[in-house]
Amino acid sequence: MNPNYLDFEQPIAELEVKIEELQLVGSDNDLNISAEIETLREKSSKLTEKIYSNLSAWDIVKVARHPQRPYTMDYIPRIFSEFDELHGDRHFADDNAIVGGIARLDDKPIMVIGQEKGRAVKDKVMRNFGMPKPEGYRKALRLMEMAERFKLPVVTLIDTPGAYPGIDSEERGISESIAQNLAVMSRLATPIISIVIGEGSSGGALGIGVGDHLAMLQYSTYFVISPEGCANIIWKSSENAPDAAEAMGVTSDILKDMGIVDATIEEPMGGAHRDVDLISERIKAHIAAELTVLEQLPVEDMLAKRYQRLMSYGN
Amino acid sequence: MSWIDKILPSGVRTGEGEKRASVPEGLWKKCVKCEAVLYRPDLERNDDVCPKCDHHMRIGARRRLDVFLDEEGREEVFTDIEPVDRLKFKDKKRYRDRLTAAQKSTGEKDALIAMRGTLQGLPVVVVAFEFKFHGGSMGYAVGEKFTRAAQLSLAENIPLVCFSASGGARMQEALISLMQMAKTSAVIERMKQQSVPYISVMTDPIYGGVSASLALLGDINVAEPDARAGFAGPNIIEQTIRQKLPKGFQRSEFLLEHGAIDMIVHRNDMRDTLARILSKLSHQALNHSEQEQEQEQRETEDGADVEAIEVDE
């Protein structure tokens, strides 16, 4: 099995391997070979289209967790400029699972906050696999309050397997740190736009996800408990994770239909990782458009709308 | 591993009642902690706290409200709120059927009960979680009722008290449950901004989404002795860190030590303590009932404070 492709993508992987082989052979400019490559490319893209038009909820969970999926640190330099990272919660530590700082979206100064899983093994360890501890949420809160003071809109990028379940996390009050963010974000007097870019897992995701506009990338997921966790509890076996993913409605299309998510951002064929620049462009355009709308509202109206929306969940 | 570790899975679903000792229901009840066989009327008189070892047994929402509020002038509110199965969730059984079963066995529509009434004469709105209803989990109905209770507090400028006991967000309502965290936190924040007091009382157990929202946002956070509260269940943490958890981890005493709560309050003292605090926060005098005055008189005379009973380990 090709590790760069997911299990349901293996037929695509086989074609891509063939294309690569032919490219190696075809260095002598053989016309037949380039024609063959062209046919295979077409076949591969058709196959991708076919596979991706029929993904199960569980397949989408896998795409959202794809090892090559773009993370916050891939997006920040592509969407923003002049990113100055700010560190620390001023109480205990700097949590590398949450990245934050001031940047520009075109000319506009913005506070960007995102969860980062880390790419290489060393990086993943440094980022705690994107599982924030209380100091991460408190850093985010500090930056959001700063954004309010200096009238900077807040953009958050959500991508976490969950807040860190550990002894130190509990000792320092992980529950309170998340709860506090939910409370303050409900009334922070500056626009807040949140985008789920990969995995939005439960309270750990929501802890930076309350605001005026919530968007999801097409193949990102958002759930109250991981499908594995849900399967373990209800079905008594994590093997039922695909069933749990199906039952909980974890995908962007369903959440959009339910009105929990405001918008979905279409991904390149085969997922965001196939064309990071393209998806970054689309995210950037989406943020810019939504900010324009939000900034036209008087702050009190924006806050009233935000509160109204919070109160309406489930109605 | 203590008994509670064994019965507390990540979601904390098992009701204490089911695993209870082998003494038949009736006049006698066995304490789950010290195993003393207790005379039921004695136990009830002591607010379901074991007179021998001081273990605070889990009690239902109605009993909780009954022992907490003044006898006169109570009124249950927001009784019309019903759970909604937006996802038509189905595992081995349909969620709708599970709801019906839970409604039948508990006699409640969902896991939160709200009442308005008085506490030693102070007007209050009180909500209590029914742990036997789906492990006290928070879905739409719980979030909505909590929110409306808080809105009532706001509208009438009277304090809100919440007794929580919950395994967390309700999985079967998926993201709607998650968003109840944001909703309840938002209304609490509004109370804070308008200086309407909110006291959160954590009773065994509080986990997950309820812990990471309404339970830890009190102006005053209180816990009953030896209650368990945390974000992640002990099993999940043990699996993640591959270590045994220290003794007393996530218990009330641990929460107090780490600064998460203001105080641990014995169930027998809950009324007095909360009334005293609320009286100060709202600048209003208390109005003790005659019965309570007599009780206080007696306690002063013979010094028989319940907390003086030795706690067996």
Side-chain angles (χ1 to χ4, degrees):
Chain A
M1 187 165 141
N2 187 329
N4 291 328
Y5 289 84
L6 301 168
D7 50 0
F8 60 86
E9 293 180 313
Q10 290 305 312
I12 306 171
E14 281 163 29
L15 277 177
E16 292 294 326
V17 168
K18 263 191 208 158
I19 293 170
E20 248 173 65
E21 281 169 1
L22 279 176
Q23 275 172 330
L24 286 177
V25 179
S27 49
D28 54 357
N29 279 336
D30 189 324
L31 258 180
N32 281 338
I33 286 183
S34 47
E36 177 74 357
I37 289 175
E38 204 42 52
T39 320
L40 283 177
R41 280 223 172 103
E42 216 166 280
K43 209 170 156 191
S44 166
S45 101
K46 275 206 177 122
L47 187 63
T48 308
E49 208 175 316
K50 190 176 160 222
I51 290 174
Y52 269 77
S53 64
N54 197 21
L55 294 183
S56 70
W58 183 238
D59 292 336
I60 292 173
V61 170
K62 287 181 197 159
V63 180
R65 293 173 179 166
H66 195 290
Q68 290 176 337
R69 188 154 181 96
Y71 297 148
T72 290
M73 291 308 263
D74 298 307
Y75 285 127
I76 288 179
R78 287 177 171 86
I79 298 173
F80 305 97
S81 56
E82 283 185 39
F83 176 62
D84 287 304
E85 188 175 351
L86 305 173
H87 293 274
D89 70 344
R90 297 293 186 271
H91 295 290
F92 181 77
D94 184 36
D95 186 343
N96 290 307
I98 292 187
V99 177
I102 339 173
R104 280 185 197 276
L105 182 79
D106 294 325
D107 289 337
K108 201 192 296 281
I110 302 268
M111 184 66 78
V112 194
I113 296 165
Q115 288 150 333
E116 170 61 47
K117 289 179 168 177
R119 187 75 55 193
V121 176
K122 221 171 140 187
D123 197 26
K124 284 188 197 303
V125 172
M126 188 265 277
R127 303 284 181 194
N128 198 26
F129 300 86
M131 294 185 282
K133 295 182 181 183
E135 45 275 22
Y137 294 101
R138 289 176 184 140
K139 169 168 74 178
L141 183 64
R142 180 175 78 83
L143 299 186
M144 289 188 280
E145 286 178 331
M146 189 197 302
E148 184 184 43
R149 285 197 298 282
F150 297 106
K151 300 191 172 15
L152 310 177
V154 176
V155 173
T156 70
L157 302 177
I158 296 170
D159 189 16
T160 179
Y164 183 64
I167 294 178
D168 53 343
S169 235
E170 298 285 340
E171 283 176 337
R172 294 196 291 276
I174 186 70
S175 287
E176 190 272 348
S177 68
I178 291 173
Q180 196 59 42
N181 283 16
L182 306 183
V184 173
M185 291 179 92
S186 73
R187 59 142 176 91
L188 199 80
T190 192
I192 305 175
I193 292 178
S194 300
I195 299 174
V196 186
I197 55 170
E199 203 178 356
S201 186
S202 195
L206 188 64
I208 60 163
V210 176
D212 303 294
H213 180 83
L214 174 64
M216 283 178 77
L217 298 196
Q218 186 180 5
Y219 301 123
S220 65
T221 52
Y222 201 175
F223 35 73
V224 69
I225 180 171
S226 72
E228 291 89 340
C230 175
N232 260 327
I233 293 171
I234 297 188
W235 280 267
K236 313 284 173 214
S237 158
S238 55
E239 281 177 20
N240 290 91
D243 302 316
E246 200 67 52
M248 286 197 294
V250 301
T251 54
S252 62
D253 51 344
I254 294 177
L255 294 168
K256 172 86 171 33
D257 284 347
M258 287 172 75
I260 286 175
V261 167
D262 301 298
T264 60
I265 300 172
E266 196 192 343
E267 293 191 25
M269 183 52 62
H273 58 285
R274 299 291 181 90
D275 194 340
V276 184
D277 288 333
L278 178 62
I279 186 67
S280 302
E281 249 170 62
R282 288 181 187 166
I283 297 173
K284 184 179 172 181
H286 190 86
I287 296 171
E290 289 306 324
L291 269 185
T292 311
V293 175
L294 286 171
E295 285 179 335
Q296 275 163 3
L297 287 174
V299 174
E300 306 80 68
D301 294 3
M302 180 185 78
L303 291 178
K305 217 174 142 193
R306 189 190 299 167
Y307 190 73
Q308 214 46 55
R309 169 196 168 82
L310 284 166
M311 293 303 110
S312 75
Y313 280 128
N315 291 350
Chain B
M1 201 186 253
S2 78
W3 64 271
I4 199 164
D5 286 303
K6 285 179 190 151
I7 70 156
L8 270 180
S10 56
V12 197
R13 263 147 282 100
T14 321
E16 209 174 85
E18 290 91 60
K19 301 261 173 176
R20 211 49 84 65
S22 50
V23 179
E25 293 288 303
L27 260 190
W28 301 91
K29 190 165 180 172
K30 199 168 173 182
C31 172
V32 279
K33 191 159 184 202
C34 71
E35 301 195 329
V37 178
L38 306 168
Y39 185 50
R40 201 177 270 271
D42 283 348
L43 187 61
E44 276 170 22
R45 215 172 299 126
N46 201 28
D47 302 334
D48 288 277
V49 176
C50 173
K52 301 269 191 270
C53 76
D54 223 25
H55 175 65
H56 284 53
M57 303 187 179
R58 284 185 189 160
I59 59 175
R62 287 199 185 270
R63 169 109 172 103
R64 173 72 65 179
L65 293 164
D66 192 46
V67 297
F68 183 70
L69 282 167
D70 294 343
E71 275 176 40
E72 299 295 316
R74 304 169 180 182
E75 180 200 354
E76 189 174 353
V77 286
F78 312 121
T79 51
D80 56 322
I81 299 169
E82 308 236 8
V84 186
D85 178 20
R86 284 278 299 278
L87 282 164
K88 307 217 177 337
F89 190 98
K90 190 169 173 275
D91 49 89
K92 290 173 202 155
K93 280 189 200 161
R94 287 189 302 179
Y95 173 46
R96 203 151 44 109
D97 296 340
R98 287 185 192 272
L99 279 175
T100 313
Q103 285 170 339
K104 222 172 184 175
S105 74
T106 61
E108 306 296 348
K109 282 182 179 163
D110 208 304
L112 192 72
I113 296 170
M115 281 189 186
R116 61 182 302 169
T118 55
L119 173 67
Q120 301 187 357
L122 283 181
V124 282
V125 178
V126 187
V127 294
F129 279 73
E130 178 52 65
F131 191 74
K132 285 192 173 150
F133 195 107
H134 270 265
S137 57
M138 177 162 72
Y140 161 74
V142 169
E144 180 68 15
K145 197 181 275 190
F146 182 94
T147 302
R148 288 216 220 153
Q151 284 165 343
L152 176 63
S153 285
L154 271 166
E156 308 211 353
N157 194 17
I158 53 179
L160 175 69
V161 177
C162 170
F163 291 93
S164 45
S166 173
R170 191 171 298 166
M171 291 179 291
Q172 291 89 344
E173 292 179 40
L175 233 59
I176 289 176
S177 301
L178 188 74
M179 293 305 169
Q180 302 309 310
M181 295 169 63
K183 178 166 151 183
T184 54
S185 301
V187 76
I188 292 168
E189 184 68 8
R190 195 152 274 204
M191 292 182 71
K192 227 165 245 180
Q193 300 215 301
Q194 294 185 24
S195 306
V196 180
Y198 167 47
I199 298 186
S200 166
V201 185
M202 293 185 262
T203 74
D204 190 65
I206 310 285
Y207 277 94
V210 172
S211 153
S213 61
L214 59 93
L216 275 154
L217 286 174
D219 292 299
I220 314 272
N221 291 335
V222 172
E224 280 195 336
D226 215 28
R228 270 190 170 218
F231 180 66
N235 296 350
I236 301 276
I237 299 177
E238 283 190 340
Q239 280 163 25
T240 309
I241 61 173
R242 293 168 203 285
Q243 270 177 45
K244 275 254 161 264
L245 295 171
K247 198 166 181 283
F249 181 67
Q250 292 181 329
R251 300 260 181 197
S252 307
E253 294 69 12
F254 168 96
L255 298 176
L256 185 67
E257 191 186 319
H258 288 93
I261 58 173
D262 293 279
M263 58 181 79
I264 298 171
V265 178
H266 194 286
R267 196 176 290 163
N268 294 151
D269 301 329
M270 197 61 80
R271 268 176 65 83
D272 283 347
T273 310
L274 265 51
R276 221 164 46 227
I277 291 170
L278 288 175
S279 149
K280 282 176 278 193
L281 293 181
S282 59
H283 301 273
Q284 283 187 39
L286 297 177
N287 176 16
H288 296 260
S289 67
E290 272 176 36
Q291 209 184 354
E292 259 159 355
Q293 280 167 1
E294 274 170 34
Q295 173 80 20
E296 273 165 31
Q297 191 83 28
R298 263 205 318 277
E299 279 172 12
T300 331
E301 276 164 13
D302 60 23
D305 195 336
V306 192
E307 276 196 348
I309 291 172
E310 270 182 46
V311 180
D312 298 328
E313 197 45 49

